[in-house]
Amino acid sequence: MSDAGAGDLPSPDVSPTPETEKYWAAAAEGRLLVMRCADCDRFYHPPRARCPDCLSENTEWTEASGEGEIYAHSVTRQMGPPYHEATPYVVAYVELEEGPRMLTNVVTDDPEALSVGQSVEAVFHETEDGEYAIPRFRPV
Ligand SMILES: [Zn+2]
């Protein structure tokens, strides 16, 4: 992985469920999917069959732009294996352009320089077994 600061972050295998398999498969292709409720027109994440707002099952997968901004972030300085080698690293809520907030990592060589409201874009880190990828973000 050549993304700044990402080489150290482990990308453990994921275990998709029927509700999340499309999300992980798209990430493996470098695409970020979110779900949209056709009844209340809300985008949401993480994926689930029913809209978390109005409980409608009239939902659909939508490809997100992969662009967003940092809503909140913190720097993790101590962590056990396998993340120990990756410290310091950034855990953040990123608010996607479409609206949902994702709990994720922002990969950067300079965690102290990040700020709330900063623009970020999705990057995709292949899982260890090569089957899927984990969406993360980097400063634009
Ligand atoms: Zn809804």
Side-chain angles (χ1 to χ4, degrees), residues 19-35:
E19 284 183 312
T20 63
E21 203 281 333
K22 280 190 178 167
Y23 171 82
W24 293 114
E29 298 170 352
R31 299 183 301 127
L32 181 64
L33 296 186
V34 292
M35 295 202 79

PDB file of all heavy atoms in Angstrom, residues 19-35:
ATOM      1  N   GLU A  19     -26.505  -8.387   4.310  1.00  0.00           N
ATOM      2  CA  GLU A  19     -26.802  -6.956   4.197  1.00  0.00           C
ATOM      3  C   GLU A  19     -25.581  -6.124   3.820  1.00  0.00           C
ATOM      4  O   GLU A  19     -25.725  -4.993   3.373  1.00  0.00           O
ATOM      5  CB  GLU A  19     -27.380  -6.426   5.520  1.00  0.00           C
ATOM      6  CG  GLU A  19     -28.827  -6.821   5.750  1.00  0.00           C
ATOM      7  CD  GLU A  19     -29.374  -6.219   7.040  1.00  0.00           C
ATOM      8  OE1 GLU A  19     -28.697  -6.332   8.072  1.00  0.00           O
ATOM      9  OE2 GLU A  19     -30.478  -5.663   7.001  1.00  0.00           O
ATOM     10  N   THR A  20     -24.380  -6.645   4.033  1.00  0.00           N
ATOM     11  CA  THR A  20     -23.183  -5.830   3.785  1.00  0.00           C
ATOM     12  C   THR A  20     -22.303  -6.345   2.653  1.00  0.00           C
ATOM     13  O   THR A  20     -21.318  -5.699   2.293  1.00  0.00           O
ATOM     14  CB  THR A  20     -22.301  -5.745   5.061  1.00  0.00           C
ATOM     15  OG1 THR A  20     -21.829  -7.065   5.391  1.00  0.00           O
ATOM     16  CG2 THR A  20     -23.075  -5.162   6.233  1.00  0.00           C
ATOM     17  N   GLU A  21     -22.647  -7.493   2.059  1.00  0.00           N
ATOM     18  CA  GLU A  21     -21.751  -8.100   1.075  1.00  0.00           C
ATOM     19  C   GLU A  21     -21.494  -7.161  -0.115  1.00  0.00           C
ATOM     20  O   GLU A  21     -20.360  -7.034  -0.576  1.00  0.00           O
ATOM     21  CB  GLU A  21     -22.321  -9.446   0.605  1.00  0.00           C
ATOM     22  CG  GLU A  21     -21.258 -10.399   0.050  1.00  0.00           C
ATOM     23  CD  GLU A  21     -20.822 -10.093  -1.364  1.00  0.00           C
ATOM     24  OE1 GLU A  21     -21.640  -9.512  -2.105  1.00  0.00           O
ATOM     25  OE2 GLU A  21     -19.677 -10.431  -1.713  1.00  0.00           O
ATOM     26  N   LYS A  22     -22.542  -6.492  -0.601  1.00  0.00           N
ATOM     27  CA  LYS A  22     -22.357  -5.588  -1.753  1.00  0.00           C
ATOM     28  C   LYS A  22     -21.433  -4.422  -1.411  1.00  0.00           C
ATOM     29  O   LYS A  22     -20.666  -3.949  -2.241  1.00  0.00           O
ATOM     30  CB  LYS A  22     -23.708  -5.053  -2.237  1.00  0.00           C
ATOM     31  CG  LYS A  22     -24.455  -6.036  -3.101  1.00  0.00           C
ATOM     32  CD  LYS A  22     -25.663  -5.411  -3.758  1.00  0.00           C
ATOM     33  CE  LYS A  22     -26.333  -6.449  -4.648  1.00  0.00           C
ATOM     34  NZ  LYS A  22     -27.669  -6.043  -5.076  1.00  0.00           N
ATOM     35  N   TYR A  23     -21.551  -3.964  -0.168  1.00  0.00           N
ATOM     36  CA  TYR A  23     -20.693  -2.863   0.290  1.00  0.00           C
ATOM     37  C   TYR A  23     -19.227  -3.262   0.213  1.00  0.00           C
ATOM     38  O   TYR A  23     -18.397  -2.526  -0.350  1.00  0.00           O
ATOM     39  CB  TYR A  23     -21.085  -2.505   1.724  1.00  0.00           C
ATOM     40  CG  TYR A  23     -20.159  -1.535   2.403  1.00  0.00           C
ATOM     41  CD1 TYR A  23     -20.284  -0.165   2.182  1.00  0.00           C
ATOM     42  CD2 TYR A  23     -19.168  -1.984   3.276  1.00  0.00           C
ATOM     43  CE1 TYR A  23     -19.437   0.732   2.820  1.00  0.00           C
ATOM     44  CE2 TYR A  23     -18.322  -1.100   3.916  1.00  0.00           C
ATOM     45  CZ  TYR A  23     -18.454   0.252   3.688  1.00  0.00           C
ATOM     46  OH  TYR A  23     -17.627   1.134   4.318  1.00  0.00           O
ATOM     47  N   TRP A  24     -18.904  -4.446   0.752  1.00  0.00           N
ATOM     48  CA  TRP A  24     -17.509  -4.886   0.769  1.00  0.00           C
ATOM     49  C   TRP A  24     -17.010  -5.231  -0.627  1.00  0.00           C
ATOM     50  O   TRP A  24     -15.852  -4.961  -0.975  1.00  0.00           O
ATOM     51  CB  TRP A  24     -17.358  -6.090   1.699  1.00  0.00           C
ATOM     52  CG  TRP A  24     -17.601  -5.761   3.137  1.00  0.00           C
ATOM     53  CD1 TRP A  24     -18.622  -6.221   3.924  1.00  0.00           C
ATOM     54  CD2 TRP A  24     -16.822  -4.891   3.983  1.00  0.00           C
ATOM     55  NE1 TRP A  24     -18.531  -5.691   5.186  1.00  0.00           N
ATOM     56  CE2 TRP A  24     -17.428  -4.875   5.255  1.00  0.00           C
ATOM     57  CE3 TRP A  24     -15.675  -4.129   3.770  1.00  0.00           C
ATOM     58  CZ2 TRP A  24     -16.927  -4.123   6.320  1.00  0.00           C
ATOM     59  CZ3 TRP A  24     -15.169  -3.385   4.823  1.00  0.00           C
ATOM     60  CH2 TRP A  24     -15.793  -3.382   6.075  1.00  0.00           C
ATOM     61  N   ALA A  25     -17.863  -5.827  -1.433  1.00  0.00           N
ATOM     62  CA  ALA A  25     -17.458  -6.178  -2.801  1.00  0.00           C
ATOM     63  C   ALA A  25     -17.178  -4.927  -3.623  1.00  0.00           C
ATOM     64  O   ALA A  25     -16.220  -4.882  -4.401  1.00  0.00           O
ATOM     65  CB  ALA A  25     -18.536  -7.030  -3.464  1.00  0.00           C
ATOM     66  N   ALA A  26     -18.002  -3.893  -3.436  1.00  0.00           N
ATOM     67  CA  ALA A  26     -17.766  -2.638  -4.160  1.00  0.00           C
ATOM     68  C   ALA A  26     -16.466  -1.997  -3.701  1.00  0.00           C
ATOM     69  O   ALA A  26     -15.690  -1.470  -4.511  1.00  0.00           O
ATOM     70  CB  ALA A  26     -18.941  -1.678  -3.948  1.00  0.00           C
ATOM     71  N   ALA A  27     -16.217  -2.047  -2.382  1.00  0.00           N
ATOM     72  CA  ALA A  27     -14.975  -1.463  -1.865  1.00  0.00           C
ATOM     73  C   ALA A  27     -13.760  -2.143  -2.485  1.00  0.00           C
ATOM     74  O   ALA A  27     -12.749  -1.500  -2.777  1.00  0.00           O
ATOM     75  CB  ALA A  27     -14.935  -1.571  -0.345  1.00  0.00           C
ATOM     76  N   ALA A  28     -13.876  -3.452  -2.727  1.00  0.00           N
ATOM     77  CA  ALA A  28     -12.775  -4.175  -3.367  1.00  0.00           C
ATOM     78  C   ALA A  28     -12.519  -3.660  -4.775  1.00  0.00           C
ATOM     79  O   ALA A  28     -11.417  -3.802  -5.311  1.00  0.00           O
ATOM     80  CB  ALA A  28     -13.072  -5.672  -3.400  1.00  0.00           C
ATOM     81  N   GLU A  29     -13.543  -3.030  -5.374  1.00  0.00           N
ATOM     82  CA  GLU A  29     -13.404  -2.435  -6.710  1.00  0.00           C
ATOM     83  C   GLU A  29     -13.107  -0.943  -6.627  1.00  0.00           C
ATOM     84  O   GLU A  29     -13.168  -0.233  -7.632  1.00  0.00           O
ATOM     85  CB  GLU A  29     -14.700  -2.649  -7.501  1.00  0.00           C
ATOM     86  CG  GLU A  29     -15.033  -4.114  -7.732  1.00  0.00           C
ATOM     87  CD  GLU A  29     -16.448  -4.295  -8.297  1.00  0.00           C
ATOM     88  OE1 GLU A  29     -17.202  -3.299  -8.368  1.00  0.00           O
ATOM     89  OE2 GLU A  29     -16.780  -5.438  -8.651  1.00  0.00           O
ATOM     90  N   GLY A  30     -12.889  -0.435  -5.416  1.00  0.00           N
ATOM     91  CA  GLY A  30     -12.575   0.980  -5.267  1.00  0.00           C
ATOM     92  C   GLY A  30     -13.801   1.878  -5.324  1.00  0.00           C
ATOM     93  O   GLY A  30     -13.699   3.055  -5.679  1.00  0.00           O
ATOM     94  N   ARG A  31     -14.963   1.316  -4.990  1.00  0.00           N
ATOM     95  CA  ARG A  31     -16.198   2.113  -5.011  1.00  0.00           C
ATOM     96  C   ARG A  31     -16.813   2.109  -3.619  1.00  0.00           C
ATOM     97  O   ARG A  31     -16.864   1.076  -2.955  1.00  0.00           O
ATOM     98  CB  ARG A  31     -17.195   1.537  -6.020  1.00  0.00           C
ATOM     99  CG  ARG A  31     -16.664   1.528  -7.447  1.00  0.00           C
ATOM    100  CD  ARG A  31     -17.701   1.030  -8.435  1.00  0.00           C
ATOM    101  NE  ARG A  31     -18.137  -0.321  -8.119  1.00  0.00           N
ATOM    102  CZ  ARG A  31     -19.433  -0.660  -7.965  1.00  0.00           C
ATOM    103  NH1 ARG A  31     -20.386   0.248  -8.074  1.00  0.00           N
ATOM    104  NH2 ARG A  31     -19.758  -1.896  -7.686  1.00  0.00           N
ATOM    105  N   LEU A  32     -17.293   3.270  -3.198  1.00  0.00           N
ATOM    106  CA  LEU A  32     -17.912   3.397  -1.887  1.00  0.00           C
ATOM    107  C   LEU A  32     -19.433   3.441  -2.064  1.00  0.00           C
ATOM    108  O   LEU A  32     -19.952   4.320  -2.748  1.00  0.00           O
ATOM    109  CB  LEU A  32     -17.437   4.676  -1.198  1.00  0.00           C
ATOM    110  CG  LEU A  32     -17.990   4.920   0.203  1.00  0.00           C
ATOM    111  CD1 LEU A  32     -17.535   3.832   1.180  1.00  0.00           C
ATOM    112  CD2 LEU A  32     -17.564   6.301   0.706  1.00  0.00           C
ATOM    113  N   LEU A  33     -20.113   2.466  -1.483  1.00  0.00           N
ATOM    114  CA  LEU A  33     -21.567   2.428  -1.579  1.00  0.00           C
ATOM    115  C   LEU A  33     -22.197   2.876  -0.273  1.00  0.00           C
ATOM    116  O   LEU A  33     -21.712   2.549   0.812  1.00  0.00           O
ATOM    117  CB  LEU A  33     -22.053   1.008  -1.886  1.00  0.00           C
ATOM    118  CG  LEU A  33     -21.643   0.383  -3.208  1.00  0.00           C
ATOM    119  CD1 LEU A  33     -22.351  -0.968  -3.380  1.00  0.00           C
ATOM    120  CD2 LEU A  33     -21.951   1.292  -4.393  1.00  0.00           C
ATOM    121  N   VAL A  34     -23.277   3.616  -0.382  1.00  0.00           N
ATOM    122  CA  VAL A  34     -24.125   3.908   0.771  1.00  0.00           C
ATOM    123  C   VAL A  34     -25.539   3.492   0.382  1.00  0.00           C
ATOM    124  O   VAL A  34     -25.835   3.261  -0.791  1.00  0.00           O
ATOM    125  CB  VAL A  34     -24.101   5.399   1.179  1.00  0.00           C
ATOM    126  CG1 VAL A  34     -22.739   5.781   1.723  1.00  0.00           C
ATOM    127  CG2 VAL A  34     -24.506   6.298   0.024  1.00  0.00           C
ATOM    128  N   MET A  35     -26.396   3.380   1.356  1.00  0.00           N
ATOM    129  CA  MET A  35     -27.771   3.030   1.039  1.00  0.00           C
ATOM    130  C   MET A  35     -28.636   4.286   1.064  1.00  0.00           C
ATOM    131  O   MET A  35     -28.375   5.240   1.794  1.00  0.00           O
ATOM    132  CB  MET A  35     -28.295   1.984   2.013  1.00  0.00           C
ATOM    133  CG  MET A  35     -27.534   0.673   1.857  1.00  0.00           C
ATOM    134  SD  MET A  35     -28.460  -0.754   2.461  1.00  0.00           S
ATOM    135  CE  MET A  35     -29.586  -1.024   1.081  1.00  0.00           C
TER     136      MET A  35
END
